[in-house]
Amino acid sequence: MKINRRNLLKSSLFSLGGLLIAPPGRTGIFADMAVTLDPAGRIFHSPLVREYFLEGITPAASPIRLDSNENPYGPPLSARKAVAEAVAGGNRYAWQEITTLIGQLARKEGVGSDAIMVGPGSSDLLERTAMAVCAHGGNVVSADPTFMSLIRVAESVGATWKAIPCKSDWSHDLGAMEKAIDSNTRLVYVCNPSNPVGTVTPTGELMDFCSRVSEKVPVFVDEAYIELADGATGSMIPLVQQQKNVIVARTFSKIMGMAGLRVGYIASLPATLHLLQKVTRGGFGISYTSVLAASAALTDQEFQDTSKKLITEVKTYLCDRLQEMGYAYIPSYTNFVIFPIPIAGKEFLGKMTAKGIAVRAFDIGNNPWCRVSIGTMDEIKQFVAALKSIT
Ligand code: PMP
């Protein structure tokens, strides 16, 4: 069954991929694209993944928001102060400030300023990459499950998606992905650590894969959660330093706690950025206040360390409780945890929502799963109590 997005929005507001009310890539010029529901009324994400939603319920309206992998501790005080001070400059475009931010990021990542593009969240850069690279069709190879933002936009501009099932431990099957590349492949998308499963691909294996594959097609590595991986996997930015055709995306939304301020960036070959400049001017979409907030937060190592410590503590608490309760959660290298649940996804969402808690419920294969973001300790204690009472 296909339903028109506008009609869907009239009857229900729901969130996907951390974006309120619409699946990633379906806003703006994609507003009239159909959202595909399967016969059971679940949103079709991929051959493996269906998502439940509740009609008429806005998850973000729940007092306890554990559905979008936000960082409850942000924004850092440094960023808040920068925003307050920047408000008075909001009559100006942020040309100079964007250039300064790009320079800071280039120094941090050890690449030239011409290898960095900033954008209003990394989603925007994922989507722009899909638009530019897949403008003439072709296909994108990625794991399934994965984060769907880039893929949905690639499909919307005429590309097809080669979805390669994850391995049994939910890590990327790099061998199968490499085999799936053909003469029509325009891009390989790797989400590391991966959303929605939270797993990592080992640094060495991924480096080898990206080095080899990028000789044939560009590899996009989405590192939205990399700072939370605690060394279990490493960034692919060194490959950009080595002039490989790899595009690495990072965001201020997770470790920096600035999801609503909307800042992300990519590092890649300058030639790739030229291609993207056909569909975006990069940082021009970021507000003056957010550019300055990002500049301030970038050097706020104390905030990042504290965030990571608190998120890790709460995640450990949650996983210990899940284990005691017999839930087979997937070990997570992110700020969310996903685990199979014993009741149908819609019923589960309904019961959680009734308790004021927003989470996500998917079917992966034929089994229902809950994905819960790591909120504060108090929020996670309330989630655990709710879980005990409803299952
Ligand atoms: N990549 C992944 C894997 C994500 O989970 C998200 C947010 N949910 C993003 C990119 C986009 O984040 P943002 O646009 O806020 O930078």
Side-chain angles (χ1 to χ4, degrees), residues 17-18 68-69 120-124 126 147 189 191 193 195 222 224-225 251-254 259 262-264:
S68 295
N69 304 338
S122 60
S123 306
D124 191 67
L126 268 74
F147 185 64
Y189 173 71
C191 189
N195 184 7
D222 182 345
Y225 301 95
T251 180
F252 283 71
S253 298
K254 308 300 173 184
R262 312 304 301 129
V263 188

Side-chain angles (χ1 to χ4, degrees), residues 318-360:
L318 171 67
C319 291
D320 288 350
R321 299 294 84 72
L322 289 175
Q323 188 156 7
E324 282 165 14
M325 293 161 74
Y327 286 106
Y329 65 87
I330 301 178
S332 163
Y333 296 88
T334 63
N335 65 340
F336 58 85
V337 176
I338 192 165
F339 56 96
I341 47 176
I343 61 175
K346 194 153 191 161
E347 186 187 347
F348 184 82
L349 273 190
K351 289 182 171 174
M352 277 291 167
T353 307
K355 291 181 179 294
I357 302 174
V359 291
R360 307 286 282 266

Side-chain angles (χ1 to χ4, degrees), residues 7 59 69 76 105 122 153 161 169 183 213 217 251 258 295 303 341 346-347 356:
N7 294 338
N69 304 338
L105 291 167
S122 60
V153 175
W161 176 34
D169 63 358
S183 58
V213 166
V217 286
T251 180
M258 290 172 48
S295 272
F303 174 81
I341 47 176
K346 194 153 191 161
E347 186 187 347

Side-chain angles (χ1 to χ4, degrees), residues 207-271:
M207 281 262 175
D208 288 350
F209 172 85
C210 291
S211 292
R212 219 175 27 251
V213 166
S214 64
E215 297 295 323
K216 292 183 266 182
V217 286
V219 185
F220 192 110
V221 187
D222 182 345
E223 299 185 347
Y225 301 95
I226 195 102
E227 296 90 345
L228 293 160
D230 222 7
T233 192
S235 175
M236 292 299 119
I237 286 185
L239 295 178
V240 180
Q241 295 163 347
Q242 293 165 32
Q243 307 300 312
K244 299 275 182 187
N245 196 4
V246 173
I247 307 158
V248 179
R250 305 287 278 273
T251 180
F252 283 71
S253 298
K254 308 300 173 184
I255 189 70
M256 304 279 197
M258 290 172 48
L261 291 173
R262 312 304 301 129
V263 188
Y265 62 98
I266 51 176
S268 80
L269 293 179

Side-chain angles (χ1 to χ4, degrees), residues 105-185:
L105 291 167
R107 277 192 298 284
K108 172 175 180 267
E109 305 300 357
V111 296
S113 292
D114 58 352
I116 298 283
M117 179 182 273
V118 290
S122 60
S123 306
D124 191 67
L125 297 164
L126 268 74
E127 293 167 8
R128 301 291 182 154
T129 304
M131 286 164 75
V133 173
C134 299
H136 305 290
N139 67 59
V140 176
V141 171
S142 89
D144 181 17
T146 194
F147 185 64
M148 296 303 297
S149 192
L150 181 149
I151 289 154
R152 284 290 173 254
V153 175
E155 288 180 328
S156 75
V157 295
T160 54
W161 176 34
K162 287 193 167 186
I164 309 302
C166 284
K167 293 201 275 197
S168 58
D169 63 358
W170 301 101
S171 65
H172 280 52
D173 189 341
L174 295 178
M177 286 171 65
E178 191 166 350
K179 281 198 194 111
I181 295 167
D182 62 27
S183 58
N184 286 320
T185 303

